[in-house]
Amino acid sequence: FGGKRNVLSTAGHNGGYQEGLTAVFNHQSGYNYCKHPEDAPMPYEEYVRDLVEHKLGLSMETSAGMATIVSMENVCIETESYRDLTVTAIATASLEVNGGRVCDPAQYYEEKGKSVNVKPGTINIMLHVNADMSPGCMTRAIVTLTEAKTAAIQELLGSSLYSSGIATGSGSDSVIVISNAESDYHVTYAGKHGKLGEMIGITVKTAVKKALDRHMHLTPQSQHSMEK
């Protein structure tokens, strides 16, 4: 970051609400951790530390990150501006292995903190807003961007792999919302009725659609094929 940022995320590393982070990241997981973590040469915690501290040159304490099987070469970035407000969505996306619809039968049960294998896939979204968002506004932004992600999948008729319904996401999606805490422009609402919510919807839906095309060629054209 180029200054103080407030972050709200579902990141596996340093997720939650944070005010002291200096960087966030999304990366393609190495050693096939997403598919076969049991075959990896080191525990995932050690892998993350090596990635953050040695490969990325960041601090474990002041960074937050997400992982995916999707190559970062397939990332999509969309920006919308209106007057003094700018919103940027950065997305990688895949539904090909664990795309699912909310209320589908569950695949895992967590008990006593035991870790479970995560099937590959994942739609990861970073959302950067140049304004100073209240914590409540950042939380609302997650609701809005999730609706936008789901709308993108619905419009593409992306299938759930666990039921006959249309997918609403994958089982391992993650999001990072970044607010500029140094901005003099303060915003408190990110729902659909406000301009910020509209811009979040446009950037996220567009980025997710493009990312699904780049990674797995999920497009209106491919969905018209009998082979699909």
Side-chain angles (χ1 to χ4, degrees), residues 125-214:
I125 300 168
M126 288 186 188
L127 182 78
H128 183 273
V129 177
N130 71 331
D132 179 25
M133 306 167 72
S134 68
C137 182
M138 297 177 72
T139 306
R140 170 67 74 171
I142 290 183
V143 174
T144 303
L145 74 84
T146 301
E147 290 188 41
K149 173 194 70 177
T150 301
I153 300 168
Q154 300 267 304
E155 291 176 10
L156 292 170
L157 298 178
S159 299
S160 167
L161 301 181
Y162 306 99
S163 71
S164 60
I166 298 173
T168 54
S170 87
S172 48
D173 293 352
S174 196
V175 59
I176 297 177
V177 176
I178 306 154
S179 165
N180 185 358
E182 295 182 342
S183 175
D184 293 330
Y185 184 15
H186 305 286
V187 288
T188 60
Y189 179 71
K192 292 184 289 295
H193 296 305
K195 191 63 179 178
L196 174 57
E198 175 192 326
M199 296 165 68
I200 290 172
I202 291 171
T203 56
V204 170
K205 189 170 77 166
T206 303
V208 168
K209 281 187 172 182
K210 289 183 177 180
L212 286 170
D213 178 16
R214 287 188 183 179

Side-chain angles (χ1 to χ4, degrees), residues 10 25-27 65-70 72 75-76 90-94 121-126 149 170 172-176 208 211:
T10 61
F25 62 88
N26 182 22
H27 83 290
M66 308 177 288
T68 178
I69 65 165
V70 179
M72 293 302 108
V75 69
C76 291
I90 307 169
T92 55
S94 169
T122 306
I123 297 176
N124 283 347
I125 300 168
M126 288 186 188
K149 173 194 70 177
S170 87
S172 48
D173 293 352
S174 196
V175 59
I176 297 177
V208 168

Side-chain angles (χ1 to χ4, degrees), residues 13-174:
H13 171 60
N14 279 341
Y17 181 71
Q18 304 275 0
E19 294 188 349
L21 298 183
T22 59
V24 294
F25 62 88
N26 182 22
H27 83 290
Q28 182 180 20
S29 182
Y31 300 129
N32 224 0
Y33 271 107
C34 291
K35 293 183 178 179
H36 305 291
E38 66 278 3
D39 296 331
M42 66 179 74
Y44 187 69
E45 292 75 14
E46 293 183 19
Y47 165 78
V48 172
R49 182 172 293 277
D50 180 66
L51 169 77
V52 172
E53 296 184 345
H54 299 120
K55 293 184 173 64
L56 299 180
L58 302 174
S59 164
M60 283 288 287
E61 291 71 29
T62 61
S63 64
M66 308 177 288
T68 178
I69 65 165
V70 179
S71 168
M72 293 302 108
E73 293 181 357
N74 292 328
V75 69
C76 291
I77 303 173
E78 291 292 321
T79 297
E80 285 281 324
S81 294
Y82 180 80
R83 295 185 180 179
D84 294 330
L85 186 62
T86 299
V87 175
T88 299
I90 307 169
T92 55
S94 169
L95 293 170
E96 58 197 335
V97 178
N98 70 332
R101 184 175 180 83
V102 67
C103 298
D104 281 351
Q107 302 299 306
Y108 303 108
Y109 177 71
E110 184 175 1
E111 185 176 17
K112 297 180 180 179
K114 183 179 180 180
S115 60
V116 295
N117 294 346
V118 178
K119 290 188 176 182
T122 306
I123 297 176
N124 283 347
I125 300 168
M126 288 186 188
L127 182 78
H128 183 273
V129 177
N130 71 331
D132 179 25
M133 306 167 72
S134 68
C137 182
M138 297 177 72
T139 306
R140 170 67 74 171
I142 290 183
V143 174
T144 303
L145 74 84
T146 301
E147 290 188 41
K149 173 194 70 177
T150 301
I153 300 168
Q154 300 267 304
E155 291 176 10
L156 292 170
L157 298 178
S159 299
S160 167
L161 301 181
Y162 306 99
S163 71
S164 60
I166 298 173
T168 54
S170 87
S172 48
D173 293 352
S174 196

